[in-house]
Amino acid sequence: MKNKMIQQEFMTLKKVIEAKDEIDTEIIFSTINMVAGLNLETIIFRDKKSWENYFGISMNLTKSLLKANEHCRKYSKEEKRFLKEYRKKCIKDKNVNTFLATDCVGLNTEIDGFLSQIKASLDTVATSFGPLLGLGLKNWHKKSGKSGGEIISALENNLSDEYKERANVLKEVIIRNTEWITYIVTLRDQAHHKGGLKCLTDITYDFRYKKVKPQYIMHENDAGEMVNDFMLRTMRDVARFINEVLILSILIKAPNGMGIKRNEKGEYPPFNWVVFNAQEK
């Protein structure tokens, strides 16, 4: 009976959210499917309203991550089309003996949208600490120039002594990832408040070899990375980080001796509760 109910729950979620690629599948499994499959409404939450609020936030989180990945797909598809057409155009150009360059607004729009949805995902994670931990956080705010600094402060100062000790692992994970998340959020702020990213190269045409070079993002250490690679890498890193934050925040309120483990068989539910003995802990 229980297995039948789990499968029905899975099929309902599948109708609401469809995966278009492997990253989508991982996002769905590590966010909304995980939350739905862990029976949190009876193990973690004491009242129905808090559970429904948390579930709704988790759904919004999943959608933001999927939107970010949609921008990745659109960028990749549009870049291939644009590079092909730009090369044909350059070959026909009368100034064929010079280097040519262009700025593709359509591609930059996808980058801006991608960064916006990544930030929206982080903000949504922060709000999940409300129904779960009683923390009134509205955004993934900075403190002392570090993104997530207010989250760390809230975990240190606004929890009971019991929960504060349990939150140490979550706090350490956020601190360990602060540097690269701050960098991503800074890029998002540039895109939305300063007229776009200043660290993007133009798309260039090398007349000597009749080749087109795609856009690169020049990082703070002057290292260049193709924008498409940067978006995919960031997408995977953010999905992994958010999954870890969700699990560790849930475990703050979990019964003693219980943990959460991924279902390696790839079946639903994607994560299960496990019981540890003293030696395993």
Side-chain angles (χ1 to χ4, degrees):
M1 183 66 179
K2 183 179 179 182
N3 288 337
K4 186 176 181 181
M5 290 175 64
I6 288 175
Q7 289 303 320
Q8 288 176 342
E9 192 174 54
F10 173 66
M11 293 306 296
T12 300
L13 285 172
K14 191 173 181 181
K15 290 178 181 178
V16 175
I17 304 176
E18 289 283 355
K20 297 180 180 179
D21 61 20
E22 290 183 7
I23 296 179
D24 274 0
T25 299
E26 179 59 29
I27 289 170
I28 295 167
F29 267 58
S30 63
T31 52
I32 192 63
N33 278 5
M34 180 185 73
V35 168
L38 284 173
N39 197 24
L40 299 180
E41 63 271 33
T42 56
I43 297 176
I44 299 297
F45 292 93
R46 296 180 179 179
D47 63 276
K48 184 178 179 181
K49 185 177 180 181
S50 294
W51 157 244
E52 290 177 346
N53 188 10
Y54 184 81
F55 186 83
I57 290 171
S58 301
M59 182 68 80
N60 291 337
L61 168 62
T62 305
K63 290 178 179 178
S64 289
L65 289 169
L66 291 175
K67 287 177 184 177
N69 196 37
E70 180 69 13
H71 283 295
C72 283
R73 280 192 297 270
K74 287 184 176 179
Y75 183 93
S76 180
K77 182 178 179 180
E78 175 63 15
E79 183 187 54
K80 290 177 182 177
R81 184 199 64 79
F82 186 86
L83 293 178
K84 184 177 180 180
E85 292 185 0
Y86 186 61
R87 180 176 181 275
K88 288 181 179 178
K89 179 181 177 181
C90 290
I91 290 175
K92 295 178 180 179
D93 196 290
K94 61 182 180 181
N95 297 317
V96 70
N97 292 326
T98 62
F99 290 96
L100 302 176
T102 187
D103 177 23
C104 182
V105 175
L107 290 177
N108 293 343
T109 300
E110 298 300 338
I111 301 170
D112 293 352
F114 169 76
L115 293 170
S116 177
Q117 292 301 329
I118 292 296
K119 179 56 164 60
S121 301
L122 292 169
D123 289 341
T124 305
V125 170
T127 65
S128 75
F129 297 151
L132 181 62
L133 301 173
L135 300 179
L137 298 163
K138 302 299 182 183
N139 303 96
W140 195 270
H141 281 309
K142 289 182 179 179
K143 187 173 184 180
S144 301
K146 299 294 185 180
S147 186
E150 284 197 10
I151 310 294
I152 296 169
S153 179
L155 293 173
E156 290 176 336
N157 302 308
N158 299 338
L159 293 176
S160 66
D161 290 340
E162 177 189 4
Y163 290 161
K164 189 182 299 183
E165 183 177 351
R166 289 183 165 205
N168 282 336
V169 180
L170 172 59
K171 187 178 70 175
E172 290 170 5
V173 166
I174 295 174
I175 292 172
R176 191 167 66 242
N177 289 276
T178 293
E179 186 173 345
W180 71 267
I181 289 177
T182 300
Y183 175 58
I184 297 301
V185 173
T186 300
L187 290 177
R188 179 265 180 188
D189 292 344
Q190 289 177 6
H192 283 261
H193 305 305
K194 298 184 180 180
L197 297 180
K198 311 303 180 186
C199 54
L200 298 179
T201 65
D202 290 334
I203 293 174
T204 58
Y205 173 73
D206 189 333
F207 71 94
R208 298 168 301 177
Y209 307 105
K210 295 184 179 180
K211 289 185 177 181
V212 175
K213 185 177 181 180
Q215 265 188 323
Y216 276 70
I217 180 169
M218 306 307 296
H219 298 302
E220 294 173 329
N221 59 0
D222 293 327
E225 182 179 16
M226 284 196 298
V227 172
N228 190 46
D229 291 344
F230 161 73
M231 293 173 72
L232 287 171
R233 175 177 59 79
T234 301
M235 188 71 253
R236 291 190 177 96
D237 287 346
V238 169
R240 172 199 53 78
F241 171 73
I242 286 179
N243 173 250
E244 193 169 7
V245 169
L246 289 177
I247 290 174
L248 293 175
S249 60
I250 291 170
L251 288 178
I252 292 173
K253 292 189 68 176
N256 287 331
M258 293 189 70
I260 297 173
K261 185 177 181 181
R262 187 181 182 95
N263 185 343
E264 299 299 338
K265 295 181 179 179
E267 300 172 346
Y268 188 88
F271 291 80
N272 295 302
W273 288 103
V274 293
V275 179
F276 296 110
N277 57 41
Q279 286 75 26
E280 290 174 322
K281 289 175 67 179

